[in-house]
């Protein structure tokens, strides 16, 4: 009995809190939902991008033509097709056409991804076909020597192909076939490919609350990098429900201003002014911890969902509807047909309220890493609570259940660092900093074995006040040795905080301080006073 060590009450609550609602999924193939929208309202606008629009009927026809070409080229259900594009309407044609051909799309932003990574993606995913746009063909690396090779198809050049009717496939697409393959950061420096199935995707996008209440005519902003799993939430979540996808150009805020629904990381959302988005009624954030001030600012104007879940558990596997008067900002409860367990280091269930590592189970659990059985064995395990051959996934997120059955996110196991021999949770330091008046964002990193460094926004936050707040709330070893106020935090191409860039910025700042100190000694003598490092202000990222 996996729960025999718990009290009867904790056993009951473990099941009650950890099991999402069991609900039917309308269709296990999400692109069928898009096809239904095209049949019901072919003249409705499916997407717009920089003044160009496409209707559902035209999007479906172009995707059928592309699917016919892919099948002609030998693509079969279960294959992987590279989608190396920039944000555009052809991007949508490529995505939908790949799914219609029965293959999983493998997305990469062709304008941002280095050639070496593109080669790694092609090899690891076994892509024999790469879709791109005519203007980007030269950016796709040629086949490696000895590799089976890949062929390029330009999505914007499909002349001479059939234009009517669905494509005939060798076999039907199955729910456990791949929908997309995404590459996440790997410990070896090379990203790991994660295969996410149709069953996984349909379960979150076609049920409440993951459907975000999107209905025909709603405008959904497409803000994120296509290689990031939350972009699938934007794109397929919108098109499966008949909305209009507002594909952004360079101006993120411009797309947000005309949208009804926003899906973003907290870093991306923090660059958008809620007052400038009068239409927005629903906001969902995930991908990194959300600061409470940011959540409250948007919750005052919209239905705000704070969510959590790595790529391996299909976009998000917990969602919480946050309100301004809530005592805590939680990540909510398990989404439908999914489970969350808080376990100790021996994978035993913990009593309600104790801190442990979150494991995810149910229909969210993806098909695993491509060509990496060692990592699969480390992160995926048989689910002893569901049984029946189900797997659960180790998220590396720390959490605990509140008394009313919500999950409190407490950082990541790899965010626990040793400073002066003491274990410190970096997110706990950042949370205190974000409670300081005027501080909207904070990130804390380990500088060396003896000290932490924190970065706060905006640039006028007083660093000494920030350090005192941590000193008043946490043990001395949690107090950052340096606090750098910034106008904005640098972002990765996935819209998350770029921690490596922050450490480089800190190193540059320290080098500048040393040079200024050396000049001060030269000019004024060795006794010249120096400012403490915490008093240094940085005006812009």
């Amino acid at each position: 009995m996996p729960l025999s060590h718990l009290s009867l009450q904790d056993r009951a609550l473990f099941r009650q809190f950890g099991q999402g609602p069991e609900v039917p999924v309308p269709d296990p193939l999400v692109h069928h939902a898009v096809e239904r929208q095209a049949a019901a309202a072919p003249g409705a606008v499916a997407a717009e991008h920089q003044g160009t629009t496409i209707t559902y009927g035209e999007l479906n026809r172009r995707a059928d033509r592309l699917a016919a070409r892919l099948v002609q080229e030998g693509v079969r259900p279960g294959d992987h097709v590279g989608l190396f594009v920039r944000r555009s309407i052809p991007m949508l044609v490529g995505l939908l056409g790949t799914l219609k051909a029965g293959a999983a799309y493998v997305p990469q932003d062709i304008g941002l991804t280095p050639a070496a990574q593109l080669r790694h993606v092609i090899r690891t995913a076994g892509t024999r076909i790469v879709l791109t746009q005519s203007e980007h063909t030269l950016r796709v690396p040629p086949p490696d020597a000895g590799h089976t090779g890949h062929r390029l198809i330009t999505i914007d050049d499909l002349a001479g192909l059939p234009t009517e009717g669905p494509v005939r496939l060798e076999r039907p697409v199955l729910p456990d076939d791949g929908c997309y393959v995404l590459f996440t950061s790997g410990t070896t420096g090379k990203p790991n490919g994660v295969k996410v199935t149709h069953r996984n995707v349909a379960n979150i996008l076609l049920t409440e609350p993951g459907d975000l209440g999107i209905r025909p005519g709603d405008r959904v902003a497409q803000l994120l990098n296509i290689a990031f799993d939350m972009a699938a939430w934007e794109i397929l979540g919108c098109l499966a429900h008949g909305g209009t996808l507002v594909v952004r150009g360079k101006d993120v805020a411009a797309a947000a201003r005309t949208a009804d629904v926003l899906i973003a990381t907290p870093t991306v959302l923090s660059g958008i002014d809620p007052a400038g988005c009068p239409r927005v009624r629903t906001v969902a954030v995930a991908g990194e911890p959300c600061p409470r001030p940011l959540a409250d600012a948007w919750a005052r104007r919209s239905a705000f969902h704070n969510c959590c879940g790595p790529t391996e558990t299909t976009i998000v596997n917990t969602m919480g509807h946050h309100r301004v008067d809530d005592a805590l900002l939680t990540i909510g409860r398990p989404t439908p047909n999914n489970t969350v367990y808080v376990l100790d280091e021996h994978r035993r269930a913990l009593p309600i309220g104790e801190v442990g590592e979150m494991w995810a189970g149910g229909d969210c659990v993806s098909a695993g890493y491509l060509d990496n059985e060692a990592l699969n064995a480390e992160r995926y395990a048989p689910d002893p609570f569901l049984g029946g051959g189900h797997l659960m996934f180790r998220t590396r997120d720390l959490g605990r259940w509140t008394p009313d059955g919500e999950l409190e996110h407490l950082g990541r196991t790899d965010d626990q660092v040793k400073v002066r021999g003491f274990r410190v949770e970096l997110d706990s330091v950042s949370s205190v900093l974000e409670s300081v008046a005027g501080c909207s964002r904070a990130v804390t990193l380990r500088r060396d074995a003896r000290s932490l460094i924190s970065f706060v926004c905006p640039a006028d936050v007083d660093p000494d006040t920030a350090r005192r707040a941590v000193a008043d709330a946490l043990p001395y070893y949690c107090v950052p040795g340096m606090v750098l106020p910034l106008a904005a935090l640098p972002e990765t191409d996935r819209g998350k905080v770029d921690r490596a860039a922050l450490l480089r910025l800190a190193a540059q700042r320290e080098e500048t301080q040393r040079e200024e100190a050396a000049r001060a000694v030269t000019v004024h003598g060795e006794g010249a006073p120096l400012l403490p490092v915490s008093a240094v202000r940085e005006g812009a990222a």
Side-chain angles (χ1 to χ4, degrees):
M1 287 287 291
L3 301 179
S4 58
H5 63 288
L6 296 180
S7 68
L8 290 176
Q9 181 183 19
D10 278 327
R11 291 183 209 177
L13 292 178
F14 181 89
R15 299 287 189 192
Q16 178 186 336
F17 292 173
Q19 175 70 58
E22 295 184 15
V23 302
V25 178
D27 196 318
L29 306 178
V30 70
H31 63 285
H32 283 183
V34 182
E35 292 171 341
R36 284 196 296 274
Q37 297 296 337
V45 176
E48 61 182 53
H49 177 244
Q50 295 185 326
T52 303
T53 63
I54 189 170
T55 65
Y56 271 90
E58 181 62 18
L59 175 61
N60 197 56
R61 283 190 293 273
R62 290 193 200 177
D64 278 339
R65 294 174 71 187
L66 176 59
R69 173 69 184 278
L70 291 172
V71 171
Q72 203 176 74
E73 293 282 350
V75 171
R76 299 292 182 263
D79 286 352
H80 302 153
V81 171
L83 183 60
F84 296 179
V85 291
R86 302 235 70 186
R87 286 186 197 88
S88 60
I89 287 174
M91 171 187 77
L92 307 178
V93 175
L95 187 156
L96 186 58
T98 299
L99 297 180
K100 284 172 172 280
Y105 68 93
V106 187
Q108 292 290 308
D109 188 318
I110 192 65
L112 299 176
T113 311
Q117 182 170 325
L118 292 176
R119 283 192 290 270
H120 171 73
V121 167
I122 290 169
R123 285 195 303 268
T124 305
T127 56
R128 294 181 295 106
I129 299 292
V130 173
L131 304 177
T132 192
Q133 296 141 283
S134 299
E135 62 188 294
H136 300 307
T137 55
L138 295 179
R139 296 185 65 94
V140 179
D144 291 342
H147 185 57
T148 54
H150 57 268
R151 294 189 297 283
L152 280 184
I153 294 179
T154 51
I155 313 169
D156 43 0
D157 181 18
L158 299 173
L161 291 175
T163 58
E164 298 297 333
V167 179
R168 294 184 180 275
L169 304 180
E170 281 190 348
R171 67 162 174 83
V173 183
L174 303 175
D176 290 324
D177 283 334
C179 179
Y180 55 75
V181 174
L182 291 186
F183 281 75
T184 65
S185 57
T187 55
T188 63
K190 292 185 177 180
N192 298 304
V194 180
K195 181 179 177 180
V196 180
T197 69
H198 284 272
R199 186 190 307 278
N200 298 151
V201 176
N203 185 64
I204 184 66
L205 298 188
L206 301 184
T207 61
E208 296 181 358
D211 63 3
L212 298 178
I214 299 168
R215 296 296 177 263
D218 286 346
R219 295 172 61 82
V220 180
Q222 203 281 294
L223 307 177
L224 302 172
N225 186 323
I226 190 175
F228 184 31
D229 62 345
M230 288 175 66
W233 199 359
E234 296 173 314
I235 295 168
L236 290 170
C238 174
L239 298 179
H241 297 290
T244 296
L245 193 69
V246 184
V247 182
R248 76 168 174 91
K250 292 183 179 180
D251 190 340
V252 174
R257 278 194 291 271
T258 68
D260 300 293
V261 178
L262 297 180
I263 300 166
T265 62
T267 296
V268 169
L269 190 67
S270 66
I272 303 170
D273 181 4
C277 301
R279 290 186 57 141
V280 171
R281 70 159 193 275
T282 304
V283 178
V285 297
E288 56 187 354
C290 182
R292 179 68 187 259
L294 181 67
D296 287 347
W298 284 93
R300 291 187 183 96
R301 296 171 170 268
S302 60
F304 186 88
H305 299 274
N306 190 39
C307 317
C308 189
T311 297
E312 295 88 343
T313 64
T314 315
I315 306 175
V316 296
N317 66 302
T318 73
M319 295 182 65
H321 184 182
H322 175 69
R323 297 168 179 83
V324 175
D325 55 359
D326 287 345
L328 292 172
L329 174 62
T330 74
I331 55 171
R333 306 170 186 268
T335 46
N337 307 312
N338 292 326
T339 58
V340 176
Y341 316 121
V342 179
L343 309 181
D344 66 16
E345 65 271 22
H346 305 295
R347 302 182 190 173
R348 296 194 315 163
L350 287 167
I352 300 303
E354 289 196 16
V355 177
E357 189 170 355
M358 290 187 281
W359 287 71
D363 286 352
C364 68
V365 179
S366 60
Y369 300 107
L370 302 180
D371 195 28
N372 196 334
E373 291 309 312
L375 190 58
N376 282 330
E378 178 186 330
R379 302 296 293 276
Y380 294 82
D383 187 332
F385 310 107
L386 285 181
H390 287 90
L391 294 177
M392 60 181 185
F393 178 77
R394 183 184 186 184
T395 69
R396 296 192 181 275
D397 289 309
L398 294 169
R400 65 182 165 208
W401 293 105
T402 66
D404 56 352
E406 301 252 328
L407 274 165
E408 189 178 0
H409 188 275
L410 299 171
R412 290 181 55 78
T413 56
D414 42 14
D415 279 345
Q416 286 189 330
V417 299
K418 284 288 189 73
V419 176
R420 303 184 190 184
F422 296 96
R423 188 170 295 280
V424 177
E425 292 179 6
L426 298 176
D427 281 349
S428 66
V429 179
S430 298
S431 294
V432 172
L433 291 168
E434 287 168 353
S435 70
V436 173
C439 180
S440 60
R441 298 293 310 279
V443 174
T444 301
L445 302 174
R446 183 177 183 267
R447 184 166 55 169
D448 53 43
R450 295 191 56 79
S451 66
L452 304 174
I453 181 168
S454 294
F455 305 83
V456 293
C457 290
D460 59 359
V461 175
D462 181 66
D464 290 326
T465 300
R467 292 182 78 249
R468 282 195 297 271
V470 178
D472 290 342
L474 298 174
Y476 72 92
Y477 51 82
C478 295
V479 180
M482 177 187 286
V483 174
L484 287 182
L486 306 173
L489 297 174
E491 297 180 24
T492 68
D493 60 7
R494 306 295 174 95
K496 299 183 182 183
V497 173
D498 190 335
R499 286 168 164 75
L502 287 174
L503 289 174
R504 288 195 299 270
L505 177 64
Q508 292 166 4
R509 175 54 55 183
E510 288 181 302
E511 180 61 27
T512 300
Q513 284 181 263
R514 283 192 291 268
E515 291 174 356
E516 290 174 349
R519 283 196 296 269
V521 170
T522 300
V523 174
H524 300 291
E526 294 186 11
L530 299 176
L531 288 174
V533 292
S534 60
V536 177
R537 292 179 181 270
E538 175 70 31

